[in-house]
Amino acid sequence: MLMFWIQFVLVLGAILLGIRKGGVALGMIGGLGVAVLSLGFRVAPSEPPIAVMLIILAVVTASATLQVAGGLDYLVQLTEKMLRANPKYVTILAPLSTFFLTVCVGTGHAVYALLPVIADVALKTGIRPERPMAISSVASQMGITASPVAAAVTTFLAVAVKAGQPIGLFDILRVTLPAGVVGVVAAAAWSYNRGKDLDKDPAYQERLKDPEFRASLDVSVTTLGKEISTNAKISVALFFCGVLTIVLFALYPQLLPSVNGKPVPMTTVVQFVMLSYGAFILFATGVKAKDIAHSSVFIAGMIAVVSIFGIAWMSDTFVSANKIFLVDKIGMMVKIAPWTFAIAMFCVSAFVKSQAATLIIMLPFGLALGLPIPLLLGLIPASYAYFFFAFYPSDLAAINMDRTGTTRIGKYLLNHSFMIPGFIGVGVSTVVAYMISRVVF
C-alpha cells in the first residue's frame, strides 16, 4: 500500500509539473515518470499508445493541409454569413457553429478564426458578447467527442479494441453527437440572458467614457471581404469526403478487406483514409508541404501527440502495476455508483487539458474496475473539464477577442465567464449520453 501512494504522488507530481511547464514538457516529464517507475520501482512499463498517436498524426496532417489550402477560412466565412444574417440569435447559433465546426474538422483549434467574428456580431447587435463568446469556446471543445475524426473518439476505439471489447464508430457517434448538441443548446439557453445588457452595464458604460476604449470598439472584424480561392473550396469538399468515407466504412465494414476473418480495425482505417485525403488536397490545391508543417493546426497537433505519448504511457504503467489494489479499494464504490467514475474523469481532464489524454489515462482504469464499455461510452462527455481553470487557449482567445471586456476571468480566478456554461454543457451532455447508452446497449 505504501508503494502505491508513493507511485501515486510521483505520477500526480509529474502531471502537475508538466502542466506548469506547458507544451511538450508534459510528454517529456511523463516519459521521465515511466523511467522512474520502471527503473526505480521495478514496474514493467506498459505499451505506449502508438495507435492513438498515429491516428492523431494522420488527422492533424489532413486538417493542417486543409488550413493551408484556405479551407478553414472558407468554413469560417460561411459561418459568418449565417451569423450576420441572424444576429439576434447569435447566442444560440454561434456555439452550435463552433460545435459542428469541430465535429467536421476534428480539432477545437479551428474556433480561433471564428471568435472575433462572434464578438463583432454580438457587439454590433447590442448583445452582451460574453453570452455567445463563453459558450462558443466551451462548445468548440465539446464537439471533440462527437467528431468521427477527433483524437478522443479514435482513442476510445483504440482502447476498446485493445481490451477485446470492440465498439463501432457509429456506436460512439450515435451516443455522443446528440448528447453534445443537447448539452450545447442547454448551456446556450442559460447564456441567452446572462449578465446585464451593454446599455445597462455600469462597468461597461464607465469604460465608454474613455475615448481610446470607444475607438477600439469601432474596429470592424469580418471575413466577408476576403476572397476565397477555388482551391479552398476544393480542399473543403475533399476533407468532407474523407470524413464521409470513414463514416461509410464504419456503417458498412464489409467494404473493408478482412484479416483473419475480421474487417480491418477502424483505428487503422482512420489513419490511411485521412492521410489519403490529405494527399488528395495536396495534389489538387498545390499547397507546399513545408507550409503544412508550419501551420498552427499542425504544431498544436504535434504538441498533443508528444503530451499523450509521455503522460498516457506513464499513467497506464501506473494503473497496470497497481490494478489489483485499485480494484480492491475503489472497485466496490464504482460498482455501487458508476456515475462517480465520470467525476474522476472530469477531475483528471481539468488538469490534463486533453480529452484524448484523459481517456487514455482513465479508460484502462475503468476497464480494470470492471466497468463495461457501454457505460464508459455514456460517460465520455465528462472527459472535457479544462474550462474549469479557464487557461485553455480557446478560453484565453475568447477573453482577448471580446473588446468590451465582458468575457473575463474574475477576481477570484474560478468565477470566470466559462464556468457555468461549461458545467451545464458537460453535465447535461454526460447525463444524456449515459441515458442514450443505456437505451442503445
Side-chain angles (χ1 to χ4, degrees), residues 71-114:
L72 287 183
D73 292 336
Y74 180 47
L75 291 174
V76 169
Q77 191 178 88
L78 291 176
T79 305
E80 182 179 355
K81 289 180 179 179
M82 179 193 66
L83 294 178
R84 292 195 184 278
N86 304 276
K88 292 183 179 180
Y89 305 104
V90 65
T91 305
I92 300 294
L93 295 177
L96 285 173
S97 298
T98 61
F99 176 85
F100 281 109
L101 183 61
T102 298
V103 169
C104 291
V105 301
T107 173
H109 296 293
V111 75
Y112 301 136
L114 198 52

Side-chain angles (χ1 to χ4, degrees), residues 85-361:
N86 304 276
K88 292 183 179 180
Y89 305 104
V90 65
T91 305
I92 300 294
L93 295 177
L96 285 173
S97 298
T98 61
F99 176 85
F100 281 109
L101 183 61
T102 298
V103 169
C104 291
V105 301
T107 173
H109 296 293
V111 75
Y112 301 136
L114 198 52
L115 287 174
V117 172
I118 295 170
D120 193 62
V121 172
L123 178 61
K124 295 295 191 297
T125 313
I127 294 171
R128 184 182 181 89
E130 178 188 33
R131 295 170 182 170
M133 291 292 278
I135 178 55
S136 292
S137 176
V138 169
S140 70
Q141 305 306 316
M142 289 177 60
I144 289 174
T145 53
S147 171
V149 291
V153 172
T154 48
T155 292
F156 196 99
L157 280 173
V159 173
V161 170
K162 183 180 178 181
Q165 301 187 48
I167 192 167
L169 180 63
F170 179 71
D171 293 326
I172 297 175
L173 296 181
R174 64 175 170 169
V175 171
T176 58
L177 186 57
V181 171
V182 173
V184 168
V185 170
W190 178 87
S191 303
Y192 203 79
N193 293 307
R194 76 176 302 188
K196 296 181 179 180
D197 291 331
L198 292 179
D199 59 349
K200 299 176 183 177
D201 187 336
Y204 174 73
Q205 292 300 318
E206 183 64 28
R207 294 183 69 189
L208 276 179
K209 296 177 182 179
D210 183 352
E212 291 186 10
F213 177 70
R214 276 203 316 275
S216 69
L217 299 180
D218 291 334
V219 179
S220 180
V221 179
T222 182
T223 65
L224 297 183
K226 185 173 183 179
E227 185 177 350
I228 300 298
S229 66
T230 302
N231 283 341
K233 298 176 181 179
I234 292 173
S235 69
V236 170
L238 287 172
F239 189 89
F240 283 174
C241 282
V243 175
L244 292 175
T245 300
I246 291 172
V247 174
L248 179 66
F249 283 138
L251 291 173
Y252 303 100
Q254 61 268 27
L255 297 175
L256 295 167
S258 298
V259 178
N260 298 324
K262 296 181 180 180
V264 174
M266 281 304 300
T267 50
T268 303
V269 172
V270 171
Q271 294 172 43
F272 67 68
V273 167
M274 293 314 296
L275 285 175
S276 297
Y277 277 92
F280 292 155
I281 295 173
L282 180 73
F283 296 142
T285 63
V287 299
K288 296 180 180 179
K290 67 177 183 179
D291 293 337
I292 298 171
H294 291 90
S295 68
S296 59
V297 169
F298 188 83
I299 293 171
M302 292 309 100
I303 292 173
V305 169
V306 175
S307 298
I308 288 174
F309 183 17
I311 206 68
W313 192 10
M314 177 185 66
S315 301
D316 190 39
T317 297
F318 169 72
V319 169
S320 299
N322 296 279
K323 183 179 292 187
I324 296 176
F325 178 85
L326 290 170
V327 172
D328 288 344
K329 300 298 181 182
I330 306 175
M332 189 58 67
M333 178 190 72
V334 174
K335 288 180 180 179
I336 294 174
W339 56 267
T340 57
F341 191 78
I343 297 176
M345 192 151 57
F346 184 90
C347 293
V348 170
S349 177
F351 290 97
V352 174
K353 297 189 180 300
S354 166
Q355 293 174 65
T358 299
L359 292 173
I360 289 181
I361 292 170

